[in-house]
Amino acid sequence: MSAPTPEPTEHVDTEGNPTAPVSSDRARASLESLRSEIAKAVVGQDPAVTGLVVALLCRGHVLLEGVPGVAKTLLVRALAAALELDTKRVQFTPDLMPSDVTGSLVYDARTAEFSFQPGPVFTNLLLADEVNRTPPKTQSSLLEAMEEHQVTVDGDPRALPEPFLVAATQNPVEYEGTYPLPEAQLDRFLLKLTVPLPSREDEIAVLTRHASGFDPRDLDAAGIRPVAGPADLAAAREAVAKTQVSAEIAAYVVDICRATRESPSLTLGASPRGATALLSTARAWAWLTGRDYVIPDDVKALALPTLRHRVQLRPEAEMEGVTADSVITAVLAHVPVPR
């Protein structure tokens, strides 16, 4: 199957001004260059970079899990700088209130009226740092924003900027002082990406950079420059939406999700929303790799990050060392692959 000749599309920037037409090929090349640009500040972690780009293409959100000190926050800040997106950071703490995230009505004594003071959620890329260190009441302040791309205050819905992505970091749940995210909150995340400890070579490279004067708080000094923008992202999203999905691939995605519901190691399998999420991420991955159609390998490549947070282990399986990733990997090995 040959890819059709991409047509340029015209878009507007974040301020509503018209921009030059952007072709699908140019958008792909711009997004592919993100990896090398982010590498100026973050060593390794290519899978996490790819996952964040896939989420942007699918208008989804990302949960980054890893122990403290593996550059989760730096990764998100570097992505925002390379994409020329507005970004804000919220440090989630036990005393954080929902209005600290969404904003609130403030009384103006001069006009004797209430005016809305937007919270940090009104941005393109919201970094919700250590989201599981705040109680569920404050965690839920992100639910409407993530699902509806709006915030309702005093009965008045207010639209969020476009594009909008929540990149939430969390420490492993067994760490002291954490509140596990409820299933409804987890299901709002398109992907759950694990950020591992670096290899020995990567860790040496990190220390070498710091010894040479690298400051993670100064991305300009690190040389990160915008290599893509909202117009590239909009053109890429249109191209992803046109990526073809055969009936066999759709059935393959459904069979994978249904197999998780029948697994004896799980009390909760992937829902139909999980199936649609897997199909969306597979389409984005297919387009990023240069195809306008989805193949089974695209589905396999995104199955773990898309489904691992949508399934729930049985306590006895967890005690035996079974993980969500191992269950999904076994499912992929047993579900027949379409030819």
Side-chain angles (χ1 to χ4, degrees):
M1 187 182 296
S2 60
T5 302
E7 298 181 358
T9 50
E10 185 173 349
H11 302 280
V12 295
D13 59 21
T14 54
E15 297 179 354
N17 301 314
T19 60
V22 177
S23 70
S24 174
D25 287 341
R26 175 190 146 180
R28 183 186 295 111
S30 298
L31 293 177
E32 287 176 350
S33 63
L34 284 173
R35 182 177 288 106
S36 58
E37 197 68 20
I38 293 174
K40 295 177 181 178
V42 180
V43 177
Q45 309 300 1
D46 282 352
V49 174
T50 301
L52 285 165
V53 173
V54 167
L56 280 168
L57 294 177
C58 299
R59 293 180 170 85
H61 309 282
V62 174
L63 182 63
L64 296 165
E65 183 176 272
V67 299
V70 290
K72 299 187 297 294
T73 302
L74 180 60
L75 174 63
V76 175
R77 291 178 54 239
L79 175 69
L83 277 173
E84 204 172 12
L85 295 176
D86 181 46
T87 181
K88 290 185 174 69
R89 174 181 177 272
V90 179
Q91 179 64 54
F92 280 72
T93 56
D95 60 346
L96 193 73
M97 299 297 291
S99 59
D100 296 330
V101 179
T102 61
S104 58
L105 294 175
V106 178
Y107 181 73
D108 189 340
R110 293 175 297 178
T111 61
E113 294 180 350
F114 285 93
S115 61
F116 178 66
Q117 182 66 37
V121 73
F122 286 87
T123 187
N124 296 124
L125 203 162
L126 176 68
L127 173 57
D129 219 353
E130 296 186 302
V131 67
N132 61 336
R133 287 202 179 277
T134 195
K137 177 181 178 180
T138 304
Q139 291 175 7
S140 65
S141 65
L142 290 173
L143 289 176
E144 182 185 14
M146 294 171 67
E147 186 68 19
E148 308 294 339
H149 284 209
Q150 67 177 27
V151 169
T152 301
V153 177
D154 197 31
D156 187 11
R158 294 172 170 84
L160 295 171
E162 182 64 32
F164 173 70
L165 178 142
V166 174
T169 70
Q170 74 168 9
N171 298 314
V173 294
E174 63 268 16
Y175 273 52
E176 186 177 355
T178 59
Y179 299 83
L181 296 176
E183 287 76 9
Q185 181 91 19
L186 284 171
D187 204 40
R188 296 298 197 279
F189 289 100
L190 180 71
L191 299 172
K192 179 182 178 182
L193 306 174
T194 56
V195 184
L197 291 166
S199 65
R200 181 175 183 272
E201 292 73 17
D202 285 345
E203 195 164 0
I204 291 174
V206 170
L207 265 64
T208 301
R209 290 189 180 187
H210 280 263
S212 301
F214 171 71
D215 184 358
R217 293 175 291 273
D218 189 355
L219 294 181
D220 290 336
I224 294 184
R225 299 291 180 266
V227 295
D232 299 298
L233 190 57
R237 286 175 169 179
E238 288 187 9
V240 169
K242 297 175 183 176
T243 303
Q244 300 174 25
V245 179
S246 67
E248 292 78 12
I249 292 295
Y252 181 51
V253 171
V254 169
D255 289 343
I256 290 172
C257 293
R258 291 181 68 87
T260 64
R261 302 170 205 163
E262 300 168 0
S263 171
S265 299
L266 301 177
T267 59
L268 178 69
S271 67
R273 180 185 288 181
T276 59
L278 180 54
L279 186 61
S280 296
T281 56
R283 292 175 83 183
W285 178 247
W287 179 81
L288 281 172
T289 53
R291 280 178 282 101
D292 68 337
Y293 57 94
V294 180
I295 62 175
D297 284 347
D298 300 324
V299 178
K300 292 180 179 180
L302 273 297
L304 285 178
T306 307
L307 300 180
R308 60 164 57 109
H309 57 297
R310 303 176 192 271
V311 301
Q312 193 171 44
L313 288 168
R314 292 186 180 278
E316 54 270 26
E318 197 168 4
M319 292 178 63
E320 294 173 359
V322 177
T323 64
D325 282 14
S326 65
V327 173
I328 296 170
T329 300
V331 165
L332 293 174
H334 287 89
V335 173
V337 179
R339 297 184 180 276

